[in-house]
Amino acid sequence: MKVTEFLKNQYRHFNAAALIDAAEGYKTHLANGNKMLVTLAGAMSTAELGISLAEMIRQDKIHAISCTGANLEEDIFNLVAHDFYERIPHYRDLTAQDEENLLNRHMNRVTDTCIPEMEAMRRIENTVLKFWEKADQEGKAYFPHEFFYQILLSGDLEQYYQIDPKNSWMLEAAKKNLPIFVPGWEDSTLGNIYAGHVISGDIKNVHTMKTGIQYMMQLAEWYTQTAKEESTIGFFQIGGGIAGDFPICVVPMLHQDLQRTGVPLWGYFAQISDSTTSYGSYSGAVPNEKITWGKLGKETPKYIIESDATIVAPLIFAIVLDL
């Protein structure tokens, strides 16, 4: 039995039914000639979402991505250092001493998975710094994802690959020159490393790396050029946080601040989240709240699945891909 057939047979109520509805809405949105932006919060790359996400990119089911700096870099960490990762299924039982032991071994823990500092972060740093310094010396500036595109397409890291390259969503994105927006990139390991190299003088101009404001400007132009009355852009949000909050705000900015009133609202909205609305959490706000901010309309198809994104997202992608 195909995955899609199994899900449609078994997933009939509650969050399970919402999953099916969101997936079918996604398919309908694309079938009508529309585009889709996907947002990645948390540590979805370390959860190896790239296995399904890369296929979605290959098959043109995703047309832009907004993600945290962590998700941008952690897909590459996994690409070059997968064999050195360690899984700790009983992470809830770790003592403070156990955690310190991991620190001393340079194993940085993300829930049940430890990222190896030397094989992942430091290996990447040596390559990335070369590209940063070259741009700096030439007086050029690029976005964080553009530097990664240059590195991946150069082949410099191929000697280190430890997974099947087809499972790296960043590599697939680079091949397609997919639009990526990375708000708050400085809140990432490589963002910290970049700041360190600016402080030490290895990079002379801090603006060799383009900023979040410039990302918003680029997003505004991409949205204006891509979204038309006959072809809208959908918004598929995995988790919450800045990866989702940043891009969804482009619509009210275009309408209210730039007076581009002919630009349509987001044409589809779905979110996988376990955030609680009553705490004032914007990430947990029900979709209708976004109507009051001028992001969605009352007719916009809206879905929310209150569950674990590491479980739900690959299943929705499976339906969209008709697996």
Side-chain angles (χ1 to χ4, degrees), residues 3 13 24 37 44 46 48 86 96 123 142 181 199 202 210 215 233 239 254 296 303:
V3 175
H13 301 281
E24 288 300 318
L37 178 142
M44 296 305 298
T46 292
E48 297 192 71
E86 291 183 17
R123 179 176 289 170
Y142 299 100
F181 311 99
I199 293 169
D202 299 324
K210 290 186 177 180
Y215 261 132
I233 301 173
L254 290 170
L296 305 178
Y303 311 91

Side-chain angles (χ1 to χ4, degrees), residues 195-224:
H197 284 293
V198 174
I199 293 169
S200 66
D202 299 324
I203 298 169
K204 308 303 180 185
N205 182 5
V206 67
H207 296 297
T208 294
M209 188 69 67
K210 290 186 177 180
T211 68
I213 295 298
Q214 289 166 293
Y215 261 132
M216 179 56 79
M217 293 166 63
Q218 185 181 66
L219 173 59
E221 290 309 306
W222 175 79
Y223 193 97
T224 300

Side-chain angles (χ1 to χ4, degrees), residues 43-51 71 74 78 110 112-113 309-310 314:
M44 296 305 298
S45 290
T46 292
E48 297 192 71
L49 185 66
I51 295 170
N71 275 304
E74 287 175 14
N78 182 61
V110 181
D112 71 344
T113 303
T310 62

Side-chain angles (χ1 to χ4, degrees), residues 142-155:
Y142 299 100
F143 286 111
H145 78 279
E146 290 178 323
F147 276 113
F148 265 135
Y149 281 4
Q150 293 171 23
I151 293 165
L152 289 168
L153 296 177
S154 75

